[in-house]
Amino acid sequence: MHFHEIKQRLTTEPVASHQKDAAILLPLVQIENQVHILFQVRALSLNAQPGETCFPGGRIDQADSTPKDAAIREFTEELGIDPSLLSILAALPKIESPRKGLIYPFVAEVYSLDTIQPNPEEVDDWFTIPLDYLLHTEPTTGYITITIEPGENFPINQIANKRAYERKTYQMPEYFYTYNNRIVWGLTARVLNSFLQHLKQQ
């Protein structure tokens, strides 16, 4: 493989490689001259995270050409907004989820919420939070303790310092954003925090 091939592959939009990989959209919309972020609340009838706040998105299907296509499709299916009413602004760094594979987040501008029609089988409610509020309000941070145990076929005896990986524990931060009795946390808050940090650094 030559350098120009390496460059081409690294600059080509990624294709999901795991059956659990998912794509999500972080939607921005202008409301009364202020940029807001659109969130949705998962339907209470769902098996996974019912009633939780999240961004539109879901698993990448084989019919999706790219993770970006999957994010747009899921946004349309869940909120009923035609894809012609949004524009992808940028991709955020991928996030690895132990239970869900890789998550591909994309930031999008939504031109109007006038036609929003949430799918009741997937979405219980929706709301927005002003971007300026989130940029100037630090989240509450809690920590989850995670224990690592080598699984079956893990070659622990081939590792020089194997004791460091036997029942290794570490803490992972969890962010909690609150606004008007709404709470954003978990994977959604991690994506949100990544987005906000990018804006603050610029």
Side-chain angles (χ1 to χ4, degrees):
M1 185 176 290
H2 298 287
F3 285 110
H4 71 275
E5 293 178 274
I6 295 172
K7 179 181 178 181
Q8 182 179 8
R9 295 190 184 196
L10 291 177
T11 54
T12 300
E13 187 169 343
V15 176
S17 58
H18 192 284
Q19 64 177 356
K20 290 186 177 180
D21 288 351
I24 60 176
L25 216 58
L26 190 158
L28 304 176
V29 61
Q30 186 163 305
I31 300 175
E32 297 180 352
N33 298 319
Q34 259 197 320
V35 176
H36 284 233
I37 300 180
L38 172 64
F39 298 88
Q40 64 186 38
V41 179
R42 291 173 60 82
L44 298 176
S45 58
L46 293 173
N47 292 325
Q49 288 96 36
E52 294 278 356
T53 295
C54 67
F55 289 123
R59 189 167 295 181
I60 300 170
D61 292 342
Q62 290 184 343
D64 297 315
S65 300
T66 64
K68 180 170 67 176
D69 291 336
I72 295 172
R73 175 184 55 76
E74 287 283 348
F75 174 83
T76 300
E77 292 176 357
E78 292 176 354
L79 295 176
I81 298 176
D82 192 273
S84 64
L85 293 177
L86 69 89
S87 174
I88 299 294
L89 300 180
L92 292 174
K94 297 186 293 291
I95 292 180
E96 186 170 2
S97 169
R99 295 185 295 111
K100 298 181 180 179
L102 289 176
I103 311 295
Y104 296 81
F106 296 90
V107 181
E109 177 185 0
V110 180
Y111 306 137
S112 173
L113 297 180
D114 291 345
T115 60
I116 190 167
Q117 265 190 317
N119 178 352
E121 293 184 0
E122 298 190 68
V123 180
D124 182 68
D125 195 9
W126 63 273
F127 62 94
T128 67
I129 301 178
L131 175 59
D132 190 62
Y133 170 86
L134 291 167
L135 285 171
H136 294 92
T137 305
E138 289 298 317
T140 301
T141 305
Y143 292 88
I144 291 180
T145 300
I146 297 175
T147 301
I148 300 176
E149 288 191 50
E152 188 178 353
N153 298 327
F154 189 92
I156 188 70
N157 292 322
Q158 297 178 28
I159 296 175
N161 186 23
K162 67 177 184 178
R163 288 194 306 176
Y165 299 93
E166 293 178 316
R167 294 195 61 81
K168 176 74 174 180
T169 62
Y170 68 94
Q171 288 192 319
M172 185 176 76
E174 287 282 0
Y175 305 108
F176 297 83
Y177 294 89
T178 56
Y179 180 78
N180 287 350
N181 296 321
R182 304 281 192 173
I183 186 165
V184 180
W185 77 288
L187 180 65
T188 303
R190 287 174 62 190
V191 174
L192 175 61
N193 185 263
S194 172
F195 170 65
L196 297 174
Q197 294 308 316
H198 273 73
L199 296 187
K200 291 178 181 179
Q201 288 172 7
Q202 298 303 317

